[in-house]
Amino acid sequence: MLDLDLLKTLVCVVDERSFTRAAERVHRTQSTVSQQILRLEDSVGHALLQRDRTGKNVAPTERGEMLAGYARRLLAIAQEAEDALASPSALATVRIGLPEDFDARRMTAILSGYMAIAPQVRLETTSGMSVDLQRALAAGSIDMALLKREPGSGPCIASWPEPLVWVAGTTHVPPADEVRLALYPQGCIYRLRATRSLDKAGRRWRIVFGSQSLAGIQAAVASGLAVSVLPTSAVLAEHRVLGPADGYPALSPSELALVGAALPLSAAQRSLADYLCNAISSDAATA
């Protein structure tokens, strides 16, 4: 393995083109510098430097020039590692899970705002259905997650009610015989609300579109392909809210909860949790 100290000496000699000036730069005697170069040449099996007839001017051989290039890169990486380890503000990592059925633009804006005020924190985000994020929390592979769930179904850092509504496209004409649905996969609380409420009301239904993406469900509804259940915060201008007068039963709210894998939270985790709570509460107040 190449010795970084010897590589540093080589770079100094190549830069200064002199053993004497290189010795001054590394605060060693000229003989010590010469011995270090000899050791390095023995290690790599090649002559690295050549002197002119006066013995004062030194130039790298072809192999020496090549090794000096690698040496500069290795020394830079070593210095970078030392600086990172010595830094009192080393990045603290927070792993957070975000639901697939959450407004991506809204969440991106929230996280961007947090990173602007907390550059010392590095976020690792994972997206998935809430049931998958719950498993990841239990396994300890993420530190916290935003979950869509039944209200009051477990401890959490904070929670917010999510009013749910039936939505259709503005030009949607529902068929008389059955309800065509655009839904998330199994395990989604919106899907459960939709199918159970229709079953209870005695209405036939059929799933004609499925997606894990909120944007996908919104688009399917806006196009008139199907109706769906969405939180009021996800209703678009291209949507029309349906109710009992349209033959769609009222829906009980779900819950958005911020859940931690373990307590107490670290300082970085608490910082992110507080920011999310403030941002989501502010959004809910203005919705």
Side-chain angles (χ1 to χ4, degrees):
M1 184 178 294
L2 295 172
D3 186 318
L4 290 179
D5 194 41
L6 301 183
L7 292 177
K8 182 178 180 181
T9 299
L10 173 67
V11 170
C12 287
V13 175
V14 170
D15 288 347
E16 298 294 341
R17 301 292 172 127
S18 164
F19 281 99
T20 301
R21 290 192 297 272
E24 293 173 356
R25 182 168 159 182
V26 297
H27 306 293
R28 290 186 170 91
T29 65
Q30 182 175 333
S31 61
T32 299
V33 169
S34 297
Q35 290 170 9
Q36 287 186 316
I37 294 299
L38 288 174
R39 285 172 53 197
L40 185 57
E41 288 178 331
D42 287 341
S43 174
V44 300
H46 296 285
L48 301 174
L49 299 171
Q50 56 187 3
R51 297 178 176 83
D52 63 10
R53 291 182 179 180
T54 67
K56 294 181 179 180
N57 297 317
V58 180
T61 63
E62 184 178 346
R63 298 281 186 175
E65 191 70 53
M66 178 189 301
L67 183 57
Y70 283 112
R72 296 181 203 279
R73 290 155 58 188
L74 290 169
L75 291 168
I77 292 172
Q79 186 62 54
E80 181 182 337
E82 287 185 15
D83 292 344
L85 292 172
S87 173
S89 58
L91 293 180
T93 300
V94 179
R95 304 166 300 170
I96 182 169
L98 305 172
E100 290 275 8
D101 49 356
F102 199 87
D103 187 335
R105 181 175 297 180
R106 177 184 172 199
M107 180 50 62
T108 299
I110 291 174
L111 295 181
S112 177
Y114 174 72
M115 293 305 299
I117 65 166
Q120 76 282 5
V121 178
R122 180 165 65 92
L123 295 183
E124 291 183 0
T125 59
T126 300
S127 62
M129 299 301 295
S130 290
V131 289
D132 299 323
L133 296 178
Q134 285 177 317
R135 295 190 192 101
L137 282 170
S141 56
I142 56 177
D143 302 312
M144 63 178 69
L146 279 169
L147 304 175
K148 305 294 185 76
R149 66 181 196 175
E150 292 288 352
S153 56
C156 61
I157 300 168
S159 64
W160 302 266
E162 274 200 320
L164 300 179
V165 291
W166 291 97
V167 288
T170 54
T171 59
H172 174 74
V173 179
D177 56 339
E178 66 179 5
V179 179
R180 297 181 303 187
L181 296 171
L183 296 178
Y184 295 101
Q186 288 282 359
C188 174
I189 190 170
Y190 303 163
R191 178 189 179 112
L192 196 61
R193 284 284 194 278
T195 56
R196 284 189 177 178
S197 65
L198 291 175
D199 286 341
K200 190 173 181 179
R203 297 200 60 182
R204 294 177 57 194
W205 53 269
R206 176 168 60 96
I207 298 173
V208 297
F209 182 85
S211 175
Q212 290 191 8
S213 162
L214 172 61
I217 298 295
Q218 289 172 321
V221 170
S223 70
L225 175 64
V227 301
S228 189
V229 168
L230 291 176
T232 53
S233 60
V235 177
L236 303 180
E238 302 95 319
H239 294 163
R240 176 167 58 95
V241 175
L242 305 173
D246 304 292
Y248 291 87
L251 298 163
S252 57
S254 59
E255 179 178 86
L256 176 65
L258 179 61
V259 180
L263 295 174
L265 299 176
S266 69
Q269 292 166 6
R270 172 52 64 186
S271 167
L272 175 60
D274 289 345
Y275 189 89
L276 287 174
C277 290
N278 290 333
I280 294 173
S281 295
S282 177
D283 283 354
T286 58

